[in-house]
Amino acid sequence: MPSARRPRHPTTAKFRSKPVKLAPNFYVLNGQGGAIGVLTGPAGVLMVDSQFAPLTEKIVAAVKQVSSTPIKFPH
């Protein structure tokens, strides 16, 4: 009989995070299972992410609250 265990990762629907300013142009997004460092500047946004991929859209929306410059993904 399969066990009714909870999912390993929290659902993305519950993710809520407001940017917290730690220093000029540096913010943290605290969320489920970790924190994301966000450094904004004229060339773009640098994120150090300890979250997981299913939250990408919600993380990007939170980052747009502090910067309109593009988030660049290396190839």
Side-chain angles (χ1 to χ4, degrees):
M1 181 179 245
S3 65
R5 294 182 350 180
R6 297 173 86 184
R8 174 178 262 180
H9 297 291
T11 64
T12 61
K14 295 180 182 179
F15 177 80
R16 301 284 186 269
S17 184
K18 289 188 176 183
V20 177
K21 190 172 189 173
L22 300 179
N25 300 331
F26 186 67
Y27 303 83
V28 66
L29 303 174
N30 293 304
Q32 300 162 330
I36 302 168
V38 179
L39 179 64
T40 65
V45 174
L46 171 68
M47 292 189 337
V48 178
D49 179 9
S50 64
Q51 296 284 330
F52 58 103
L55 293 175
T56 300
E57 288 182 30
K58 292 183 179 203
I59 292 167
V60 168
V63 169
K64 286 183 178 182
Q65 293 178 39
V66 297
S67 177
S68 61
T69 57
I71 299 171
K72 298 179 182 179
F73 296 93
H75 300 16

